Amino acid sequence: MDFDVVIVGAGPAGLSAAIRLMQKAQENEQELMVCVVEKGSEVGAHILSGAVFEPKALDELIPDWKEKGAPLNTKVSHDEIYYLRGESASTKIPGFSFPKTMHNDGNYIVSMGNVCRWLAEQAEAMGVEIFPGFPASKILYDEQDNVVGIQTGDMGLNEAGEQKDSFMPGMELRAKYTIFAEGCRGHLGKELINKYQLDADKSPQHYGLGFKEIWDVPAEQHQEGLVVHSAGWPLTGELSGGGYLYHAEGNQVVCGLIIDLNYTNPNVSPFEEFQRMKHHPIFAKHLTGAKRIAYGARAIAKGGLNSLPKMSMPGGFLVGCNAGTLNYAKIKGNHAAMKSAMITAEVIADALKAGDEGQSDLTQLQDKFEQSWLYDELKSSRNFGPVMHKLGVFLGGAYNTLDQNWFGGKLPFNFTDNTPDHANMKLAGECSKPDYSKPDGKLSFDRLSSVFLSNTNHEEDQPVHLKLADSSIPLANLEKYDEPAQRYCPAGVYEFVKSESGENQFQINSQNCVHCKTCDIKDPAQNITWVTPEGGGGPNYPNM
């Protein structure tokens, strides 16, 4: 099938690109055939975000979004930020003493899954074709190594890769230009960055792992519009990140933790740290007596401008979190993903209008990006993450508050962190073992009951989509690091089991995978590669 533009991923970036392409086509009086492929069973099924949403990009893309019924219903009423000093102690941080980038006046508490469903409706009404349940599994290149489209995955293969009765081969979707909007650590984006050396002379990308739960709370406990953020406990010592809790509409509260993946102790379990956090009184007072109804996890790219690769290549583009446009100073990536995609769509539409026949490297994207408010935003926050890594929570936080509040991010210093997250891991024997309490079933829970709430499902008799470059490395990791995949995975995918002879065998429970990509990022040997499973597999988030 031939299109003008194929877009991989129906998230906020991919759908914004599709809409902006069709808008430009109308302005330029041209006809464009645009297709979006989405690996989730439906649009929104794989979307997970906090999310406090800044509507700046949406205001530009669809100015009358309110009249068109966009699901932005809960405006932020006020912010609270706490430094947690221990299991029960805390200090409330006054507004003037934390970075203004974390103020949320004018923002909305939303379900990005539902926002994406609405964006998909707008795109389809303009003539965009959207194919959910069809993962892009392979990039198509021509003889000159230009990107010419993608191939969707074969369906109906058994675990050995043999065809079952239900076999259906993948389709080739060819395009003049292909936009890769897969989200953080997209496996095709990863291939493109390596193939075209798009990250040459850049800092390595840095990541966090974000957890999210949705709770139904008693009406008397609900404070619609309240936004709570925390730093400190349980992320003490070399652990960094922070917690969040938002009061959304419909007597619901969303609660989560972001833990930076540059941590060094292989004995740490990010999932258990999140469970501990909910017992702190700052969080427990909102959740006690409530019912947990949803769970999920997703990696976020937080390297910012220092880690941003070149976003164009012959015939293709990286946009949104696949490139790493998230603004970590705001802990927000949706508005940035949308804007980067809109800029890309404008460059493509104008090139095609001018007679471009496709497969060019439209390097004018970089100039247009650098003239945008998104570039200004990322430039002003370029030091936010590296400073926290190098100076810690207190000194780093003080620097960031000074830089953002008094100098608008223009202090003449450039901090970088050039150590990849996976390279920080120390030997297990050199590190302490955290003492994690058993879950109480009220505020804290185990992994398997959590994964159940993510509605994750994969056809069991299909090829494992978590590929090991060397099957012997997990045993080496076991000896050195007590195989940290057993702990950093938020879904219990990886474990060691005893064979009949009593030997350790590495087992991959791929049917549990929630597609967070943490294993692809954090494995100290970089031995695990995440690829797309059969179409529609993975979590089925209703409104994350």
Side-chain angles (χ1 to χ4, degrees), residues 46 231 256 349 399-400 478 514 520:
H46 289 178
Y399 176 91
N400 283 328
L478 183 64
V514 295
D520 197 300

Side-chain angles (χ1 to χ4, degrees), residues 340-413:
S340 74
M342 291 158 61
I343 295 169
T344 300
E346 291 163 6
V347 168
I348 293 172
D350 289 343
L352 294 176
K353 174 66 174 177
D356 186 287
E357 295 184 356
Q359 277 68 64
S360 302
D361 186 353
L362 301 183
T363 55
Q364 59 264 44
L365 173 67
Q366 185 65 27
D367 292 333
K368 193 172 179 68
F369 167 61
E370 290 183 6
Q371 294 164 9
S372 71
W373 56 257
L374 175 57
Y375 178 81
D376 293 340
E377 191 176 296
L378 294 180
K379 186 176 181 181
S380 68
S381 62
R382 68 194 181 281
N383 288 325
F384 200 94
V387 163
M388 298 293 281
H389 287 183
K390 289 183 177 296
L391 302 183
V393 173
F394 287 109
L395 291 177
Y399 176 91
N400 283 328
T401 300
L402 178 69
D403 186 30
Q404 297 298 322
N405 293 5
W406 293 91
F407 293 93
K410 295 179 181 178
L411 280 173
F413 305 106

Side-chain angles (χ1 to χ4, degrees), residues 6-19 34-40 42-44 46-47 116 119-120 123 128-137 150 152 173 178-184 186 188 298 317 319-320 322 337 341 532:
V6 167
I7 300 170
V8 180
L15 293 169
S16 295
I19 291 169
V34 178
C35 163
V36 181
V37 293
E38 163 57 38
K39 65 183 175 69
E42 64 168 351
V43 173
H46 289 178
I47 296 295
C116 288
L119 287 171
V128 175
E129 294 188 55
I130 301 177
F131 300 140
F134 287 89
S137 66
I150 57 94
T152 64
L173 304 180
T178 306
I179 298 175
F180 295 88
E182 303 168 276
C184 174
L188 300 183
R298 186 68 169 94
F317 299 87
V319 298
N322 210 9
T532 51

